[in-house]
Amino acid sequence: MHIRRTDRQTLRQKAIAAFGSGIMLAFACLTMMAPGLAAEAPRGWIGPWAEGQRSAVRLVAAPQTPDEAARGELSLGLDFRMEPGWKLYWRSPGDAGLPPAIDGASPSIADGQIAATQIHWPLPERFTAFETIHTYAYADHVLLPVTAQLAPEAASPSGSVTGPVRLKPVRLRVDYQVCEALCIPVTADLALDVPAGPADPLDRTAAEAEAAINTARAAVPAVVSDPAAAPFAAVSAGWIAAEGDGPARLVVEAKSDAPFGPAADVFIEGPDGFAFSPPDARRLDDGRRIRFVADVAPPTADARLLGEAVRLTLVDDAPGAGLRAVETTAQVVPAPATLLGPEGGLVAALLIGLLGGLILNVMPCVLPVLSIKLMGLVATRGLGRGDVRASLLATAAGILLSFLALALAAAGLKLAGVAVGWGIQFQQPAFIGVMIVIMALFAASQLGVFTIRAPVLSGGLARDAVPEAGGRPKLGRAMMSGVVATLLATPCSAPFVGTALGFALAGGTADILAVFAAMGLGMALPYLAIAAVPSAIRLLPRPGRWMVWVKVAMGLALAGTALWLTLVLSRLVQPGAAAAVAVLAALAALLPLVITKARLLRWAGVGGLAVAAVATAVLASPPSGRGLQAVAAEGPWTPFEAGAIAAEVAKGRVVFVDVTASWCVTCIVNEERVLAVDPVAGRLATPDVVAMKADWTRPDPAIADYLAGFGRYGIPFNVVYGPAAPQGLVLPELLTADAVTRALDQARGNGAG
């Protein structure tokens, strides 16, 4: 049969129409079946695994407690398992990856049953890939607890939550990544028909689900709202500007009621756009405090981080305390670069301490004793090598023992909670009274008033290695000369001493002992070097009448030292009491000249006057007059007030802080040679510069805390703040006009300096 063209077109149209009708009918059938399929969610407390690439995840639910029912909450868990070597990321993945997330368009959220979800994050592990990529993740298996906030209208038809109700099946869509060398994104649709009300006591899956969720919640770090009051927490975050090609740094201070364990760590989470390297940790205060230092990425990170909040998760495994982790937040504030300590840690601090101790030998405080010691060496040219070596080794031993004694005293004061620092013994009237008497007696000995024979008072002084009547040298006197030299060195702060002391006193007892021993070894090096080659003494001038004049000069220098100490004492006690101490010390020095007979009587008189001098210093009341802090308003100086620095910088001003004391010889040198003369004096007097002077002659906790904030425990200490240096630019111990003016310009922003 022949079919016409028009008939063929009609048949084709009918076939297409029939096919379309069939498709529509099938779609309608599927649509009608959909509600029935949607209701077919597995019923129970633990859902089936949703398999994904290299991983699987399932939904877990715990029976509602009465409190959860009252709050309209449902406790869920996202139970992940990964193939060996694959990881799931934490809430802050680090340098790569994405954390799991619940899709806001999940059916249970879209249909109004669940108003919000919150994932709780157990403590992760730190992973490093390709030596430069650092991430936080979970390996093998992890359950992430989830709090689901039920919508009131979904929890109760009346719109109020009154108790457990019949829930609709929970349907959530979860997006996550699993990573090894590469990352695979996975989307999983999870469904679970959670029973309402309490669980059946015979239902093992309910107990299993509840235990799994509770275990996971126990691994979530607790949030601490008041870190300062907490016994274990990260308490602060300080930003240190980049220098040269180096990165900016974030310094996190953490504390613990017990010494930190070997694996203590902190996870730093900052604003978007910032990442932080795994921190280096330095234990302080015998392990009860840690300073974490992390590089800030990108390398060009600027001060945008200042004022931002960072989340700090502190982790510790202290023996006996188990694994602990707490979460705190801290606002990023400027921090000084001195908190970083010397590059190289303890080894670098030891080398710096060795060099600083060596330089102490040529500081003004030590020169009188060193000069007298050299005179004693000149006088020993006729002795044998063994005698010379023994005398020098005894002096070196006196120095080393004195430094170790200072270290033990500093460590003990720290453990007792007392602020410590280099030279703080000069804040005590009793110590200064003793030193005034000793210096007066030494001066009288050098001026020929009498000869000190008691080793405990001698200090060497030109006779420490000289044999009496052809006898052997007095090693006790030689050792005491090292002790006196050390005591006189403490009011001086040589270059490098501040850095070494800052590292030591911020650390534990072992750090303090090690660094102080290195400084003592450095100060003793000249004596040890000559002891190694005694023949080097022959390079010194021959004994002669010139030694008499040198002795007189040294005697006058020691007398001047006693007068200077009297002035220092007048800042601590009433000036009249300080004058009385000086008079009693002078009488003690001159008494042997007046009383020529009865050696016991005259030394008893010397001892009595010495005790009276020290008692006067101790019992005298503090001065009511002005000290450096009060007279700071003279000239360009204003009294130190740490809280006013930031406000002055905010006004665009430069702030110069000078921490000084009347007993600090190096401070006096800095004042007279640099700060009180042009061009520095003129710059400090300009209206846009605020010059603050902090007087540490007497103990002042505010100044001690200020120094400790920079990792410093000795003076002089000078720092410059400004709009371009809000964290402060720390100057060297020995100031120069060029260093000060350059820092003033750099802080103002006039140059990179």
Side-chain angles (χ1 to χ4, degrees):
M1 181 180 67
H2 179 69
I3 301 177
R4 291 181 301 177
R5 181 179 178 89
T6 54
D7 294 335
R8 288 198 302 268
Q9 291 176 343
T10 301
L11 290 173
R12 184 181 298 117
Q13 292 172 351
K14 290 181 178 180
I16 292 173
F19 180 78
S21 299
I23 292 294
M24 293 177 65
L25 180 61
F27 180 79
C29 292
L30 288 174
T31 301
M32 289 185 293
M33 293 172 61
L37 291 174
E40 293 178 2
R43 181 170 177 77
W45 307 103
I46 300 177
W49 291 103
E51 299 290 339
Q53 292 288 330
R54 307 290 184 178
S55 63
V57 61
R58 63 182 178 182
L59 189 61
V60 179
Q64 261 188 332
T65 65
D67 289 342
E68 288 175 339
R71 295 192 302 267
E73 293 178 355
L74 183 63
S75 186
L76 304 174
L78 299 176
D79 193 13
F80 292 90
R81 68 183 183 189
M82 288 73 68
E83 292 186 5
W86 291 78
K87 303 180 294 295
L88 181 81
Y89 286 112
W90 189 46
R91 66 185 178 204
S92 293
D95 294 336
L98 290 173
I102 297 174
D103 192 338
S106 297
S108 290
I109 298 176
D111 66 12
Q113 179 188 6
I114 295 178
T117 58
Q118 180 184 2
I119 299 178
H120 306 280
W121 303 90
L123 195 67
E125 297 180 70
R126 190 190 296 275
F127 294 89
T128 300
F130 307 108
E131 299 183 356
T132 57
I133 299 177
H134 307 285
T135 57
Y136 308 107
Y138 309 100
D140 300 326
H141 172 263
V142 67
L143 188 148
L144 302 181
V146 177
T147 297
Q149 183 66 50
L150 302 176
E153 57 274 15
S156 171
S158 63
S160 61
V161 180
T162 57
V165 297
R166 182 74 170 91
L167 300 172
K168 293 188 294 184
V170 177
R171 296 180 178 273
L172 298 177
R173 175 168 295 170
V174 179
D175 298 311
Y176 64 97
Q177 282 188 355
V178 286
C179 296
E180 191 192 35
L182 55 86
C183 290
I184 301 175
V186 180
T187 296
D189 289 312
L190 309 177
L192 186 62
D193 189 359
V194 180
D200 186 340
L202 301 179
D203 190 346
R204 294 183 179 179
T205 60
E208 179 183 345
E210 185 175 26
I213 292 176
N214 289 340
T215 300
R217 285 185 178 273
V220 176
V223 178
V224 175
S225 58
D226 186 4
F232 174 75
V235 296
S236 66
W239 176 82
I240 298 176
E243 294 186 3
D245 296 332
R249 309 286 183 86
L250 192 73
V251 180
V252 175
E253 297 271 357
K255 66 174 183 177
S256 174
D257 52 351
F260 281 96
D265 197 1
V266 66
F267 300 156
I268 306 172
E269 304 170 73
D272 291 340
F274 291 95
F276 307 91
S277 69
D280 296 325
R282 185 191 169 201
R283 283 161 175 77
L284 312 172
D285 294 340
D286 288 327
R288 287 179 169 79
R289 193 161 58 92
I290 282 190
R291 182 173 294 155
F292 296 99
V293 181
D295 294 346
V296 182
T300 56
D302 55 27
R304 290 175 299 159
L305 193 58
L306 285 174
E308 296 287 345
V310 291
R311 183 157 47 179
L312 307 170
T313 302
L314 180 64
V315 187
D316 184 38
D317 61 344
L323 184 65
R324 297 190 294 174
V326 298
E327 175 188 312
T328 60
T329 57
Q331 187 179 38
V332 179
V333 297
T338 50
L339 287 181
L340 299 177
E343 293 289 340
L346 180 60
V347 174
L350 294 177
L351 294 175
I352 292 172
L354 187 71
L355 185 57
L358 180 62
I359 296 176
L360 275 175
N361 284 291
V362 296
M363 298 302 290
C365 310
V366 187
L367 275 177
V369 174
L370 181 60
S371 300
I372 295 172
K373 181 65 184 180
L374 292 176
M375 286 177 57
L377 294 176
V378 171
T380 64
R381 289 171 62 96
L383 293 178
R385 288 190 173 187
D387 291 335
V388 174
R389 180 177 288 116
S391 175
L392 291 166
L393 290 178
T395 302
I399 294 173
L400 286 170
L401 290 175
S402 299
F403 269 91
L404 289 176
L406 290 173
L408 290 173
L413 290 173
K414 279 199 66 178
L415 292 176
V418 179
V420 293
W422 181 248
I424 62 170
Q425 67 270 26
F426 281 85
Q427 297 175 341
Q428 304 303 320
F431 177 82
I432 298 180
V434 170
M435 293 301 297
I436 290 173
V437 173
I438 291 176
M439 289 299 101
L441 293 174
F442 288 170
S445 175
Q446 289 298 290
L447 294 173
V449 175
F450 61 89
T451 299
I452 301 177
R453 297 184 182 277
V456 74
L457 291 176
S458 161
L461 304 184
R463 297 184 181 87
D464 57 1
V466 181
E468 297 181 7
R472 298 183 63 81
K474 300 294 184 180
L475 298 184
R477 299 177 183 178
M479 179 176 290
M480 283 306 299
S481 68
V483 174
V484 173
T486 302
L487 292 177
L488 288 176
T490 52
C492 283
S493 183
F496 308 111
V497 168
T499 302
L501 287 173
F503 184 92
L505 295 176
T509 301
D511 292 331
I512 294 174
L513 291 173
V515 173
F516 271 68
M519 291 177 61
L521 181 61
M523 190 171 173
L525 272 181
Y527 306 101
L528 295 174
I530 300 177
V533 188
S535 59
I537 295 177
R538 297 176 182 175
L539 301 176
L540 298 174
R542 291 181 177 274
R545 293 184 60 84
W546 64 271
M547 294 181 63
V548 176
W549 298 106
V550 172
K551 283 182 57 180
V552 172
M554 291 301 101
L556 293 175
L558 290 167
T561 301
L563 290 175
W564 165 67
L565 290 172
T566 303
L567 293 176
V568 173
L569 185 61
S570 68
R571 298 293 184 92
L572 300 176
V573 299
Q574 294 292 345
V581 171
V583 170
L584 291 172
L587 290 175
L590 296 175
L591 190 61
L593 182 63
V594 177
I595 304 177
T596 58
K597 296 180 180 181
R599 179 183 300 178
L600 181 61
L601 176 62
R602 66 182 182 179
W603 283 114
V606 169
L609 290 172
V611 171
V614 175
T616 301
V618 173
L619 299 176
S621 60
S624 58
R626 302 182 305 168
L628 280 179
Q629 193 76 334
V631 301
E634 298 178 0
W637 300 103
T638 60
F640 171 73
E641 187 178 350
I645 294 175
E648 295 292 347
V649 172
K651 297 175 183 177
R653 294 174 180 165
V654 173
V655 179
F656 181 89
V657 176
D658 177 32
V659 184
T660 184
S662 58
W663 46 259
C664 172
V665 177
T666 313
C667 302
I668 296 172
V669 172
N670 285 339
E671 175 75 21
E672 294 181 351
R673 296 185 56 186
V674 179
L675 301 180
V677 297
D678 287 330
V680 174
R683 293 289 300 273
L684 296 181
T686 57
D688 61 340
V689 175
V690 178
M692 292 186 179
K693 190 179 290 291
D695 176 27
W696 208 30
T697 298
R698 284 178 275 174
D700 189 327
I703 296 177
D705 292 343
Y706 177 74
L707 290 172
F710 282 85
R712 289 294 181 89
Y713 298 86
I715 54 175
F717 182 73
N718 301 95
V719 60
V720 181
Y721 301 86
Q727 77 280 7
L729 301 173
V730 177
L731 298 176
E733 285 93 343
L734 290 179
L735 297 179
T736 63
D738 182 63
V740 175
T741 55
R742 185 169 59 248
L744 292 172
D745 290 337
Q746 185 177 349
R748 181 179 289 109
N750 292 349

